[in-house]
Amino acid sequence: MPAALSADSILAGLEDFWASLGGQKTASEPHALLRASAMTLIVIAEEAEDPAAIAETIGEVMHDHPNRAIVVRLRPGTETLIEHRITAHCWMPFGGRRQICCEQVEITASGASLPGLLPILTAIAAPDLPVVVWCRGARIYHLPAVGALAGISHKLIVDSTGFADVRAALEDLAADAKRGRPVADLSWTRITRWREIVAHIFDHPGRREFVRDMRQVKVFHAGDAPPASAYYLAGWVLASIGHDDVAARFESVAGAGIEGIVLDFDSHLVSIRRAQGGSVRIDIDSLAGCTVAPRLTEAELLGNELAISGKDAVFQRSLEMAARLARR
Amino acid sequence: MELGNPFQDSLRFESRTLPCASVIFGATGDLTRRKLVPALYRLACERRLPPGFALLGTSRTPLTDDQFREKLRAAIPEFAPGLPVDGDMWRSFSSAFFYIPGDLKDPATYQRLAAKLSEIETRFETGGNVLFYLATQPSQYETAADGIGAAGLARGNGWRRLVIEKPFGHDVSSARELNARLQRIFPESEIYRIDHYLGKETVQNILAFRFANGIFEPLWNRRYVNHVQITAAEAIGVENRGAYYQEAGALSDMIQNHLLQIMATIGMEPTPVYVADAVRDERAKLLRSIRIMKPDEVALNAVAGQYGPARIGDSEVPGFRQEPGVRPDSRTETYAAVTLFVDNWRWAGVPFCLRTGKRLPRRVTDIAIHYSGAPHAPFAESNADNNGATPNLLIIRIQPEEGISMRFLSKEPGGGMRLRPVSMDFNYGASFGSQEASAYETLLLDAMRGDPTLYIRQDAVEASWAVVQPILEVWRNQSFGFPNYSAGTWGPAAADEMLARRGHVWRSP
């Protein structure tokens, strides 16, 4: 199998696979399966990662973003080993009469064989549909072959939360974004809800006057050092108001991820702090309220990112500012 | 000059809704419990409601604020299953619920509402924005609107809007009369007439399908389209709405509003921009272009039906006249089919066949554009029997399994040139997953944002009544051999005959 692996053999395997699935139709449900795909999702992971967990995440994402998933599991070593298998994720939509199925091609390859795999990945991507690459890990993101893959992809997703050096991660991402790489970071996706709460507060026209008097933004985070998402949140506030002479502070507290943000104006204070459960307490001077900010699963984060196509100018501005804050 | 929100991110955040209060008249009724509050709560859980949102309910039932909250909480598990009702989310949401008991005819009720709204305006910083929702009996619309007007509630610091549910009158003159009463209090631009069909994702998608793609519009006219069939079938009977339905009937309850709105969306001209009045202008123009039937044309172009009892599976299904609340000699139609023509350049001579009914074989709503055959068919011999159906069919499925299918002829594998219809399917679930937005969520949010695109304007209401009124008048004086179709069938034989006269057959959706 390894020697014979080619795009044609994988595509033929896909056809055979679907023909066999279609053969299971019954007389009462002659079209019981619907093969669905709105994009190609290429996932590159280390072989040591649990394949079942990756498959579960992909399967969950497929419900809202049906795709042809190609999972490349990188094996250590230099052997030119490439093998593959085909599976499907199927589900019955609520009230539906037909199962919807998406295909998953899993390829195991050595790091050395990755460059040779690129033409195959290009050829087996679903035609005329967007290609999204999800790099699971800092080492993978920095592989030259992944850089080449970025050329055919509409989006290159990473999660900088898993990168050991946050400062370097933000700088690399900012540099790549500047070079035109379509990078996206799940650490940024993770703070969408926090950003939305802040934006919501300033939907009130009377509060927009506050903005020019902002003195400080303070982000509360778990862990000793600020994670990338803390830099993103502060960076986004500063990039949004358009001046970086506002002080950005970070404070470590108990919890997980982002635990709160306080915006300090001359004569007003906006505080958004995580409370019990998934709820968040909002204080705007003496006005108090409550909303929710659930912690999203990896599948939800990925799904949110897949829902965004095209250039994300807000992310790019915030990334640049986050990298500057991390450097300070 | 008003400053913009520097934190807005239109790519990832939904466009925002300004804080407001919603006053629901008929707050202890079914609509509030089953549709409005579940939709509002789902919006709150999805974080799409503004933070300063408050709900003020009123009806005759004496309740405290807490009793009102509890009553609505109890409805959530049934009508919005899966949403949390015991945690902070519900507590926070319902803490902004208030209740004023009172009679709609009593001016003191409106004074109490005014006082509470003033308190809410300060406490929730709503800016004086108020959405009045009349979830009452239609006969009370005018009383409620007059009361709002007399108490000065139709004007304030912010916007004031009025949402009403169908029926908007029962004929042209009553629709005009209702409107005149409402417009004395609210300007037309602030009156939101809800038709939940227009809030359905797939109905909205008709416009995207037609006007965002260049390939379909050239084929969307009398030159290529043979006829159009619009079906809204329900498998259930009248359930516990027998008494109401008996007064309405399928023509008024479904065709006058839902199906004509769908027809208008299918047939309207493109708009230069997607803004409310441009879209509503074109819908209304299409409705006004529908040829009004003369009394002697009704028998040929309209069919009424009423279901009789039948055995479906293991169950004995009652006929309409055996349903609770229905008179044993009721003459109300539970099925209606009409053939309409649009007198304009695009659609002249193209029949639009609309049908709706209860106790039909399955629940389905779809639109089928039947295209004319090829001008010359070299393979006619091998494809002679197409059972009266045109070979090319574009089907827009609204429910269930939203999607679009195109049927065309294909050569069967093997020797010779034998043709067979095949289908090319687009299924929403296959491209957009299983997300499902409720029509009420969409429409309530639109009303709060001041976007009436999916609401019906008065001229469209009047044009729709003008289409169905001549049929209603003929039917009123006609005796039918009801019941004329068995529960679980596709309606009376007369409906098939109506299409057969033009060489068409109803498709089996």
Side-chain angles (χ1 to χ4, degrees):
Chain A
M1 173 71 79
L5 189 80
S6 65
D8 285 347
S9 68
I10 294 176
L11 292 172
L14 276 171
E15 289 313 312
D16 291 347
F17 178 79
W18 283 105
S20 71
L21 275 185
Q24 294 166 16
K25 66 192 176 190
T26 63
S28 61
E29 288 290 348
H31 302 291
L33 291 182
L34 193 64
R35 183 182 181 182
S37 181
M39 67 180 72
T40 299
L41 175 65
I42 300 175
V43 184
I44 309 179
E46 306 285 2
E47 193 190 23
E49 278 200 73
D50 178 8
I54 296 173
E56 196 179 324
T57 300
I58 292 171
E60 215 176 299
V61 164
M62 281 170 171
H63 287 231
D64 288 334
H65 305 281
N67 63 70
R68 174 180 290 178
I70 303 170
V71 180
V72 180
R73 301 178 62 216
L74 291 181
R75 179 174 291 182
T78 54
E79 278 180 275
T80 52
L81 171 72
I82 302 177
E83 57 193 25
H84 83 281
R85 70 187 185 112
I86 296 168
T87 53
H89 296 265
C90 296
W91 66 96
M92 181 66 85
F94 179 74
R97 289 181 299 162
R98 284 190 288 184
Q99 278 198 91
I100 296 178
C101 292
C102 292
E103 61 224 13
Q104 178 177 322
V105 181
E106 190 178 303
I107 299 172
T108 306
S110 68
S113 60
L114 190 53
L117 186 59
L118 291 185
I120 295 176
L121 294 178
T122 307
I124 65 173
D128 303 315
L129 293 174
V131 176
V132 176
V133 178
W134 181 24
C135 299
R136 293 178 57 88
R139 187 187 80 84
I140 290 171
Y141 179 70
H142 289 108
L143 289 172
V146 170
L149 202 52
I152 62 149
S153 65
H154 294 75
K155 195 166 231 182
L156 190 59
I157 300 174
V158 295
D159 187 353
S160 62
T161 303
F163 288 25
D165 185 343
V166 172
R167 192 186 126 181
L170 291 173
E171 291 214 344
D172 287 351
L173 287 172
D176 288 345
K178 217 166 193 172
R179 282 209 308 269
R181 260 200 196 185
V183 290
D185 186 352
L186 297 186
S187 293
W188 165 255
T189 323
R190 221 168 250 119
I191 62 163
T192 301
R193 179 59 190 141
W194 290 98
R195 296 194 301 118
E196 199 171 22
I197 297 169
V198 172
H200 224 148
I201 291 168
F202 289 90
D203 278 336
H204 194 297
R207 297 197 188 111
R208 294 179 197 161
E209 300 281 341
F210 297 6
V211 171
R212 59 173 158 246
D213 301 324
M214 188 185 284
R215 289 192 311 201
Q216 177 179 279
V217 52
K218 188 178 204 178
V219 177
F220 298 87
H221 61 85
D224 295 336
S229 51
Y231 287 118
Y232 274 131
L233 189 52
W236 167 71
V237 170
L238 301 191
S240 300
I241 62 174
H243 49 100
D244 60 356
D245 52 347
V246 170
R249 302 267 182 272
F250 300 91
E251 186 174 324
S252 170
V253 292
I258 299 295
E259 286 291 321
I261 178 169
V262 171
L263 304 178
D264 196 349
F265 306 90
D266 267 350
S267 49
H268 300 281
L269 193 73
V270 172
S271 165
I272 307 163
R273 299 294 299 266
R274 192 173 280 290
Q276 282 182 328
S279 68
V280 162
R281 181 185 164 88
I282 303 171
D283 291 279
I284 307 161
D285 296 328
S286 60
L287 189 70
C290 175
T291 184
V292 289
R295 296 184 198 279
L296 300 186
T297 63
E298 188 174 55
E300 288 168 329
L301 292 169
L302 182 62
N304 288 350
E305 212 46 62
L306 294 181
I308 307 285
S309 57
K311 195 176 166 188
D312 184 349
V314 177
F315 168 64
Q316 292 199 0
R317 282 200 303 272
S318 306
L319 170 59
E320 207 171 302
M321 187 63 82
R324 280 163 62 182
L325 290 177
R327 268 200 304 271
R328 283 181 189 172
Chain B
M1 195 178 79
E2 192 177 279
L3 296 169
N5 182 349
F7 300 108
Q8 200 43 258
D9 182 351
S10 56
L11 199 60
R12 293 182 190 250
F13 309 159
E14 209 174 339
S15 69
R16 303 306 333 171
T17 310
L18 289 177
C20 65
S22 180
V23 181
I24 299 183
F25 291 84
T28 54
D30 251 17
L31 181 67
T32 307
R33 216 165 51 89
R34 297 165 74 101
K35 299 285 184 191
L36 301 184
V37 169
L40 288 169
Y41 187 41
R42 197 177 293 280
L43 286 171
C45 290
E46 290 165 0
R47 308 178 299 267
R48 294 162 76 195
L49 271 189
F53 174 81
L55 191 153
L56 177 54
T58 181
S59 79
R60 275 189 305 192
T61 314
L63 293 175
T64 63
D65 288 345
D66 281 340
Q67 286 170 327
F68 178 55
R69 289 167 190 151
E70 180 50 33
K71 191 176 168 63
L72 295 178
R73 193 192 70 83
I76 294 297
E78 190 180 352
F79 300 111
L83 296 187
V85 286
D86 294 320
D88 286 348
M89 191 62 221
W90 174 261
R91 270 195 296 278
S92 170
F93 176 60
S94 64
S95 67
F97 287 11
F98 306 95
Y99 184 79
I100 303 278
D103 189 329
L104 288 179
K105 291 182 187 141
D106 181 2
T109 302
Y110 301 92
Q111 295 308 327
R112 289 199 294 276
L113 287 175
K116 194 71 190 175
L117 279 173
S118 171
E119 184 190 321
I120 286 172
E121 183 175 339
T122 310
R123 185 168 153 195
F124 291 87
E125 298 186 3
T126 61
N129 300 326
V130 184
L131 184 73
F132 295 99
Y133 201 116
L134 303 190
T136 62
Q137 294 295 324
S139 57
Q140 295 174 318
Y141 287 170
E142 286 140 332
T143 311
D146 287 347
I148 292 168
L153 290 173
R155 305 279 180 275
N157 292 330
W159 50 256
R160 301 289 160 114
R161 295 182 188 131
L162 179 74
V163 182
I164 59 170
E165 288 270 341
K166 67 161 183 144
F168 314 116
H170 50 83
D171 56 19
V172 176
S173 65
S174 61
R176 281 189 187 139
E177 197 180 319
L178 169 66
N179 190 52
R181 288 283 289 273
L182 298 180
Q183 285 187 350
R184 280 207 292 268
I185 316 297
F186 290 91
E188 173 63 24
S189 60
E190 304 297 348
I191 300 174
Y192 287 64
R193 295 174 194 83
I194 204 165
D195 181 331
H196 72 272
Y197 261 61
L198 287 183
K200 288 179 185 290
E201 204 66 43
T202 33
V203 174
Q204 295 175 59
N205 192 48
I206 293 171
L207 296 183
F209 179 77
R210 287 189 57 197
F211 304 137
N213 299 292
I215 57 172
F216 303 110
E217 202 51 25
L219 309 177
W220 213 266
N221 55 51
R222 65 185 303 278
R223 188 166 170 202
Y224 297 101
V225 175
N226 179 279
H227 72 289
V228 178
Q229 294 184 14
I230 302 176
T231 301
E234 289 182 68
I236 57 169
V238 291
E239 306 292 291
N240 53 2
R241 292 170 69 229
Y244 159 76
Y245 196 85
Q246 186 168 246
E247 303 308 318
L251 190 63
S252 298
D253 191 50
M254 289 293 290
I255 292 185
Q256 184 273 332
N257 38 69
H258 303 320
L259 296 203
L260 283 178
Q261 286 299 320
I262 291 177
M263 178 178 163
T265 310
I266 285 289
M268 65 184 259
E269 294 299 315
T271 59
V273 283
Y274 188 67
V275 294
D277 269 339
V279 175
R280 300 199 304 171
D281 282 347
E282 294 304 336
R283 276 207 193 102
K285 268 159 65 179
L286 190 286
L287 291 170
R288 283 197 298 270
S289 306
I290 297 174
R291 190 186 307 159
I292 306 297
M293 280 185 219
K294 297 186 180 77
D296 61 340
E297 292 171 333
V298 170
L300 291 173
N301 293 305
V303 172
Q306 188 189 83
Y307 63 87
R311 184 176 181 82
I312 300 177
D314 294 333
S315 310
E316 293 293 342
V317 174
F320 178 64
R321 290 173 174 177
Q322 287 80 49
E323 298 274 14
V326 177
R327 286 188 301 272
D329 61 347
S330 172
R331 298 175 65 247
T332 302
E333 82 282 1
T334 59
Y335 175 99
V338 294
T339 300
L340 301 172
F341 290 89
V342 179
D343 287 335
N344 66 15
W345 276 51
R346 186 189 283 265
W347 295 115
V350 177
F352 281 77
C353 310
L354 282 56
R355 65 175 163 169
T356 182
K358 291 198 174 289
R359 286 277 185 228
L360 300 184
R362 53 185 290 249
R363 171 179 168 261
V364 60
T365 302
D366 68 16
I367 303 145
I369 317 278
H370 291 248
Y371 283 94
S372 302
H376 170 67
F379 317 115
E381 220 167 275
S382 55
N383 188 43
D385 183 18
N386 201 22
N387 198 24
T390 48
N392 296 131
L393 200 56
L394 180 74
I395 299 157
I396 300 171
R397 296 187 305 273
I398 292 171
Q399 63 185 18
E401 295 219 330
E402 299 87 338
I404 296 169
S405 298
M406 180 87 207
R407 192 179 74 166
F408 55 93
L409 292 176
S410 176
K411 179 187 172 299
E412 279 187 18
M417 185 54 81
R418 293 176 61 82
L419 306 185
R420 201 177 69 183
V422 292
S423 184
M424 193 158 69
D425 275 347
F426 157 68
N427 182 298
Y428 260 74
S431 287
F432 299 112
S434 47
Q435 294 166 350
E436 202 177 315
S438 118
Y440 271 93
E441 285 170 55
T442 304
L443 293 168
L444 282 167
L445 213 51
D446 281 358
M448 290 182 212
R449 289 177 181 159
D451 179 356
T453 311
L454 303 177
Y455 284 84
I456 307 174
R457 212 169 51 189
Q458 176 60 17
D459 52 349
V461 173
E462 288 176 18
S464 303
W465 277 120
V467 171
V468 302
Q469 192 168 334
I471 306 170
L472 286 171
E473 282 168 5
V474 169
W475 284 0
R476 200 169 294 138
N477 302 313
Q478 190 176 336
S479 61
F480 298 101
F482 285 165
N484 59 354
Y485 72 97
S486 298
T489 66
W490 279 110
D496 297 333
E497 290 156 15
M498 180 179 80
L499 259 67
R501 280 195 282 277
R502 293 190 177 87
H504 304 145
V505 288
W506 289 111
R507 36 184 296 278
S508 296

